[in-house]
Amino acid sequence: MREAFHDELDSIFIDLAGIARKVQHAVARATEALMTGDVHIAEEVISGDEAIDLAREAVEEKSFELLSLQQPVAGDLRTVVAALRMVAELERMGDLSVHVAKIARLRVPSVAVPAQAEPTIRRMATVAEMMTAKTAEIIENRDVEAAADLAQDDDEMDRLRRNSLRELLSADWTHGVEPAVDLALLGRYYERIADHAVSVARRVVFVVTGETTIDA
């Protein structure tokens, strides 16, 4: 009975890693829509969010079933509760990708990101996608060491966010208020994707070690 229970726990983590990979794809496609002004890609990201929502529901149902049918000991209970919190974080990352895609769609046929801001936004997008990919691996392998590396990646995202805000507030900014608002929102969305990735990594560390902090 306990072996079957732990098999179910393992399957939940496999499902979580699969959701993280769906989110990684959504981040990449939303960024592509943003940089190209392709409304079809933007719509793909927006409609594709339903698959992430359904995957979250499946993980929740499986987790609640385990809680109701089994009597998990402290460590197992910790794992199930952490999984429920992780799946909520991953769904939110998918929602943030949709927000990026909606800005891309709103500005079609133009491109939302002016050339002046493109290098910073593109790098933020790259870091967000990379962190999401690492999150999938951390979940799948329950890799505490990789979780510490993710926290360092988040430091770069924070620096990029500050740089983006400086660009918007500088005297050299000549693109007006509307693009500035778009870019402020985009920076926030990518930053929040990174924050959620770190939060998921912390929960994996908690499952493995019982600790709530990541040692970088």
Side-chain angles (χ1 to χ4, degrees):
M1 181 68 71
R2 299 304 299 171
E3 183 177 349
F5 178 78
H6 284 105
D7 286 344
E8 286 296 313
L9 281 180
D10 289 341
S11 75
I12 287 174
F13 271 72
I14 291 170
D15 292 343
L16 289 170
I19 295 172
R21 292 190 175 95
K22 286 184 174 67
V23 172
Q24 178 193 354
H25 180 73
V27 173
R29 294 294 277 172
T31 300
E32 185 177 355
L34 184 69
M35 296 302 179
T36 63
D38 190 320
V39 69
H40 300 295
I41 297 175
E43 293 288 0
E44 172 197 310
V45 175
I46 294 165
S47 62
D49 189 55
E50 183 180 2
I52 295 174
D53 294 341
L54 291 173
R56 173 192 175 169
E57 291 174 9
V59 166
E60 288 177 338
E61 288 175 7
K62 188 181 292 187
S63 299
F64 290 135
E65 184 177 354
L66 276 179
L67 290 173
S68 63
L69 297 180
Q70 304 287 340
Q71 293 182 336
V73 296
D76 295 337
L77 180 61
R78 181 174 72 203
T79 301
V80 176
V81 171
L84 287 168
R85 291 176 175 171
M86 281 190 275
V87 77
E89 303 260 17
L90 291 168
E91 185 193 35
R92 183 58 185 147
M93 291 163 73
D95 292 341
L96 289 161
S97 300
V98 169
H99 292 338
V100 173
K102 285 182 176 179
I103 287 181
R105 183 180 64 178
L106 182 64
R107 301 307 171 203
V108 170
S110 299
V111 176
V113 180
Q116 176 184 347
E118 182 176 340
T120 301
I121 294 297
R122 190 178 289 278
R123 181 58 189 168
M124 292 183 82
T126 297
V127 173
E129 184 184 350
M130 175 182 64
M131 291 180 70
T132 308
K134 287 184 178 180
T135 299
E137 295 175 2
I138 290 165
I139 294 169
E140 194 166 57
N141 301 317
R142 304 193 194 187
D143 190 335
V144 173
E145 185 175 341
D149 293 339
L150 199 70
Q152 293 178 352
D153 293 332
D154 191 47
D155 290 339
E156 180 182 1
M157 180 64 84
D158 291 340
R159 288 193 298 271
L160 289 164
R161 172 71 166 149
R162 291 192 294 271
N163 290 343
S164 177
L165 291 173
R166 278 196 293 268
E167 287 179 356
L168 300 180
L169 296 172
S170 74
D172 296 333
W173 183 259
T174 60
H175 304 285
V177 173
E178 191 172 82
V181 171
D182 286 345
L183 290 169
L185 289 172
L186 288 167
R188 180 60 174 161
Y189 297 153
Y190 284 122
E191 181 186 41
R192 288 300 296 152
I193 289 170
D195 289 343
H196 283 295
V198 171
S199 183
V200 170
R202 284 198 179 100
R203 298 190 193 285
V204 173
V205 171
F206 180 62
V207 166
V208 175
T209 70
E211 301 294 330
T212 58
T213 58
I214 299 176
D215 293 325

